[in-house]
Amino acid sequence: MLFYKKNGIPGVACGLGNLIFPDNSNLITGIVLEFAVPTAVVSLMWVTIYSGNNAMSLALVVIDTVLAPFLIPATLHVMVGSRVQIDVTQMMLQLIFMVALPAVLAMTLNQCSKGKTQKVLPSKLAPFSKMALIFVVASNSSGVAPYIRHMNLERMKVAGVILLLAAGGYAIGLLIARLMHQDRETQISIMYGAGMRNISAGAVIAATSFPGEVLFPVMIGTLFQQVLAALYGKIVCERNKDK
């Protein structure tokens, strides 16, 4: 599943981007980046809501996050490196500081406290984490404001491509789980693991490492991600009720 998520979806995104926007390397880079970022931590919330396999989802988020500093620069270098200038070293350092170190620190703290951290800190830090998330999204979204204000046909096509690929990520993840004959809980975990993206991390990378236009495909994904998560969760629940 991790191999598919890090190679299959970005590969399809790159192919579709080159097909529809052959002369705009910034949009292609943004589309690939949108689907190369690690699984969103918020996927754990959706897995809990729909009674999925929490242990598997947590493992997927942690592994994906820790590997992100190496996989994201490599993916971008292979797929769009010939068309845009990429500072791989700088990007790796940003990702290590932004996503990998917090994940390792959280695991270490939880292990040293014998699980007490997981029970105590989330409820106390929840208000601050939500405010921080709002700040990150708002500050990064400001970079895409000019492109939203001057919306044109090309950018509407970008939104359509992101919607198609995002919906496809959930659908293919669910299909793979069913072809592997996994139980319902595991199907839900794989579906959200394949479909949800850490868009905030992608936005920071786009804003600090690339021209402003790269940010547009990344941030437009925020319009669809949570809606699709709820829709697919509902679909899985309805299908299981019919059995």
Side-chain angles (χ1 to χ4, degrees):
M1 169 54 64
L2 190 59
F3 176 83
Y4 157 74
K5 187 176 184 296
K6 286 304 179 188
N7 295 273
I9 300 180
V12 173
C14 183
L16 198 56
N18 278 285
L19 179 65
I20 300 176
F21 314 105
D23 300 321
N24 195 324
S25 58
N26 288 334
L27 292 181
I28 296 171
T29 302
I31 292 171
V32 173
L33 177 59
E34 165 72 358
F35 296 96
V37 294
T39 301
V41 176
V42 74
S43 65
L44 299 174
M45 177 192 75
W46 288 104
V47 169
T48 300
I49 290 173
Y50 289 105
S51 303
N53 187 329
N54 287 295
M56 180 179 182
S57 292
L58 180 59
L60 178 60
V61 168
V62 170
I63 293 172
D64 206 4
T65 300
V66 171
L67 292 179
F70 311 101
L71 294 181
I72 294 177
T75 299
L76 292 173
H77 179 72
V78 169
M79 295 186 180
V80 298
S82 61
R83 305 186 62 168
V84 297
Q85 186 175 0
I86 300 174
D87 188 340
V88 174
T89 302
Q90 180 64 25
M91 190 180 299
M92 288 180 65
L93 291 174
Q94 282 182 324
L95 286 164
I96 289 172
F97 177 76
M98 184 169 54
V99 295
L101 281 181
V104 173
L105 179 62
M107 287 187 294
T108 303
L109 192 60
N110 190 61
Q111 186 68 25
C112 292
S113 66
K114 298 181 179 180
K116 292 180 180 179
T117 300
Q118 185 181 2
K119 299 177 181 178
V120 176
L121 289 185
S123 59
K124 293 184 177 180
L125 296 179
F128 302 101
S129 63
K130 290 176 181 177
M131 287 189 290
L133 180 60
I134 292 172
F135 174 77
V136 169
V137 173
S139 59
N140 289 320
S141 298
S142 63
V144 81
Y147 302 99
I148 295 292
R149 286 199 301 267
H150 302 93
M151 200 71 171
N152 55 31
L153 180 59
E154 183 179 54
R155 288 165 195 159
M156 291 178 68
K157 288 181 180 178
V158 173
V161 168
I162 296 296
L163 174 58
L164 177 64
L165 290 170
Y170 288 97
I172 295 175
L174 182 58
L175 177 62
I176 290 175
R178 286 181 172 169
L179 289 176
M180 294 170 62
H181 304 291
Q182 298 296 318
D183 55 34
R184 175 188 173 279
E185 290 76 15
T186 303
Q187 287 180 21
I188 290 173
S189 295
I190 293 178
M191 178 183 72
Y192 284 121
M196 301 208 76
R197 300 293 186 282
N198 189 336
I199 296 177
S200 295
V204 172
I205 296 170
T208 57
S209 303
F210 298 103
E213 194 173 21
V214 175
L215 184 60
F216 179 77
V218 177
M219 289 306 301
I220 204 72
T222 58
L223 298 178
F224 313 121
Q225 179 157 267
Q226 304 302 329
V227 175
L228 288 171
L231 177 62
Y232 273 96
K234 185 72 173 177
I235 290 172
V236 172
C237 286
E238 291 298 326
R239 286 180 65 89
N240 280 278
K241 285 180 182 178
D242 295 337
K243 292 182 180 180

